[in-house]
Amino acid sequence: MGAAAQRAEAENEEWAGVTPDAARRLVSAAVAAFAERGYHATTTRDIAGRAGMSPAALYIHYKTKEELLYRISGIGHEKALRIMGAAAEAEGGATERLADAVRTFARWHAEHHTTARVIQYELQALGADHYAEIADLRRRTDRLLRGIIQDGADSGEFRVDDVPGTTLAVLSLCVDVARWFSADGPRTPDEVGALYADLVLRMVGARTAPATE
Amino acid sequence: MGAAAQRAEAENEEWAGVTPDAARRLVSAAVAAFAERGYHATTTRDIAGRAGMSPAALYIHYKTKEELLYRISGIGHEKALRIMGAAAEAEGGATERLADAVRTFARWHAEHHTTARVIQYELQALGADHYAEIADLRRRTDRLLRGIIQDGADSGEFRVDDVPGTTLAVLSLCVDVARWFSADGPRTPDEVGALYADLVLRMVGARTAPATE
DNA sequence: CGCGCCGCTGAGCAAGCGCTTAGCGCCCGG
DNA sequence: CCGGGCGCTAAGCGCTTGCTCAGCGGCGCG
């Protein structure tokens, strides 16, 4: 199997929960197109074409183009929330949990940078109702991360002056990976995760340096 | 003068170098529209309307809508490069220069967040030639920041394992301010600059804590 | 006072947009 | 072997888009 085919298969697996097959192919095609050109520059003909169908077929599975973006955003943000939740609720001290959160969160944004780009940078194209739903998922992700950092500050593991500000910065750092990351670049998603975990532990003034590996 | 009028005046001053007046009003209107809805979702009628003219007037001053974006991008990136250059070439140790660079760079992205949003997140809408020109300005900004961090690493002021990676993260952090910053939010641009300078000095393991103010 | 020029407008063109509809062919239960 | 329904397509509708162009008005100069 070629590299391109492998990538296509991996992208398809990401949307395994979407059925039937035609709907999944449409989601996969839309993510690729939205990430490449942006939501507004992408036409329904382009999405349908990438999925190997006629433009009209799109409307059997989704009411509008915006609903496609909404579905993508929902699934993507739920995945991001689950990643943050797993780290936040894990056993261990704040240092380990923060390192794990940043490592996995940043790595996901690198590995799935096309999906991440869409869900992080095309939000404004959502309708007001859909935006509100997604904004709630984002607030919950923020709250989980803030909880870890607050724990570390309370226990004395971290030295942070401004917990909400630092949380915002950490989240911003991880999210922005989706903007600059390229699969052709010099860094693997694992390396980005490791680098970012290290940088963030320094940002919060964690007392014990983690194993640099 | 009302707050809205004051903001409008401040936005207009930002483009003082653009003449004649009608061309400046168009740039100002385009920045506002592009930042609010994105380049592709903004119509020439919308831009002209905000500038108080008919759609046709736009084409007396700019050949295409894309040229407007190019002009905005060029001026904005040159400003960003100048900010970074001023900090990089200043007297003083790497710690002071890095703190100054991050403080002013992040503050600019907060204060001029509409302009910054356009130049940082609408790049893909540029034509290939124009994109290449802008990409060069961005590389030069990156190189200046990397120089400061490298200096600190060489002199022993900083402890950084991965200079290009850390540079990328610092730049990413500052740039992403444009995405989340809101004038209605709890933080002033000065506060963002101060917070970010502090966080970045920790990221590079600067030995001496700077004056917290 | 009148004339030319220049910034601008009103009207509109071709193209492409999101989305709809009528109908085709294949698959499956009887 | 047939008939109904479902996933899909070809065609195209109404509208908006970026952009054009003929001509108007008012200001400066002679």
Side-chain angles (χ1 to χ4, degrees):
Chain A
M1 196 190 308
Q6 254 181 13
R7 216 176 306 126
E9 174 138 324
E11 258 166 37
N12 220 32
E13 264 172 43
E14 192 180 349
W15 306 105
V18 182
T19 52
D21 182 66
R24 174 167 51 251
R25 265 157 49 219
L26 283 165
V27 165
S28 199
V31 168
F34 291 162
E36 203 174 303
R37 322 185 191 211
Y39 175 82
H40 287 292
T42 299
T43 70
T44 54
R45 284 167 238 272
D46 184 21
I47 298 169
R50 285 179 194 239
M53 324 179 182
S54 81
L58 193 153
Y59 294 91
I60 294 161
H61 302 284
Y62 303 95
K63 267 207 303 265
T64 62
K65 185 173 101 168
E66 191 266 356
E67 198 196 312
L68 246 175
L69 177 63
Y70 169 61
R71 289 285 230 273
I72 292 164
S73 271
I75 294 170
H77 276 97
E78 268 159 24
K79 179 66 184 169
L81 179 57
R82 239 175 299 135
I83 288 170
M84 192 62 85
E89 289 153 20
E91 304 279 314
T95 306
E96 285 82 10
R97 286 187 293 140
L98 181 60
D100 189 41
V102 170
R103 189 184 308 113
T104 52
F105 201 70
R107 182 175 52 206
W108 184 81
H109 278 80
E111 192 141 34
H112 302 275
H113 60 103
T114 53
T115 304
R117 205 167 295 170
V118 174
I119 73 166
Q120 300 292 357
Y121 297 104
E122 303 293 337
L123 275 179
Q124 47 145 24
L126 288 170
D129 293 355
H130 287 163
Y131 180 85
E133 272 185 59
I134 300 297
D136 183 58
L137 291 173
R138 294 170 72 82
R139 262 191 302 274
R140 287 162 63 189
T141 305
D142 180 89
R143 212 174 303 142
L144 286 168
L145 179 62
R146 195 165 64 245
I148 304 177
I149 294 177
Q150 187 68 62
D151 284 353
D154 291 346
S155 73
E157 279 179 79
F158 302 159
R159 277 170 289 115
V160 247
D161 298 328
D162 176 353
V163 170
T166 304
T167 305
L168 181 61
V170 172
L171 221 38
S172 164
L173 197 59
C174 293
V175 159
D176 203 48
V177 167
R179 184 177 55 89
W180 59 258
F181 186 85
S182 160
D184 305 329
R187 274 168 263 270
T188 65
D190 277 341
E191 285 164 357
V192 172
L195 172 65
Y196 271 41
D198 176 47
L199 290 174
V200 167
L201 289 190
R202 290 161 172 241
M203 279 169 72
V204 299
R207 298 205 174 237
T208 52
T212 9
E213 193 125 351
Chain B
M1 195 191 308
Q6 254 181 13
R7 216 176 307 127
E9 174 139 321
E11 259 167 35
N12 219 30
E13 264 171 42
E14 193 181 348
W15 306 104
V18 182
T19 52
D21 182 66
R24 174 168 52 250
R25 266 157 49 220
L26 282 166
V27 165
S28 200
V31 168
F34 290 164
E36 203 174 304
R37 323 185 190 210
Y39 174 83
H40 287 293
T42 299
T43 69
T44 54
R45 284 167 239 270
D46 184 20
I47 298 169
R50 285 179 195 238
M53 324 179 181
S54 81
L58 194 153
Y59 294 91
I60 293 160
H61 302 285
Y62 303 94
K63 266 206 305 260
T64 62
K65 186 174 101 168
E66 191 266 357
E67 197 195 313
L68 246 174
L69 177 64
Y70 170 61
R71 289 285 232 273
I72 292 164
S73 271
I75 294 170
H77 276 97
E78 268 159 25
K79 179 66 182 170
L81 178 58
R82 239 175 300 136
I83 288 169
M84 192 61 86
E89 289 154 20
E91 304 280 314
T95 306
E96 285 81 10
R97 286 188 292 141
L98 181 60
D100 189 41
V102 170
R103 189 183 307 114
T104 53
F105 201 70
R107 181 174 55 207
W108 184 82
H109 278 79
E111 192 141 33
H112 301 276
H113 59 103
T114 52
T115 303
R117 206 167 295 170
V118 174
I119 72 166
Q120 300 292 356
Y121 297 105
E122 303 293 336
L123 275 178
Q124 46 146 19
L126 288 170
D129 293 355
H130 287 164
Y131 180 85
E133 271 186 60
I134 300 296
D136 183 58
L137 290 173
R138 294 171 72 83
R139 262 191 302 274
R140 286 162 62 190
T141 304
D142 181 89
R143 212 174 303 142
L144 286 168
L145 179 62
R146 195 165 64 245
I148 304 176
I149 294 177
Q150 187 67 63
D151 284 353
D154 291 346
S155 74
E157 279 180 78
F158 302 158
R159 277 170 289 115
V160 247
D161 298 329
D162 176 354
V163 171
T166 305
T167 305
L168 181 61
V170 172
L171 221 39
S172 164
L173 197 60
C174 294
V175 159
D176 203 49
V177 167
R179 183 177 55 89
W180 59 259
F181 187 85
S182 159
D184 306 328
R187 273 167 264 269
T188 66
D190 277 342
E191 285 164 358
V192 172
L195 172 64
Y196 271 43
D198 176 48
L199 290 174
V200 166
L201 289 190
R202 289 162 173 241
M203 280 169 72
V204 299
R207 300 209 171 231
T208 52
T212 12
E213 174 130 358

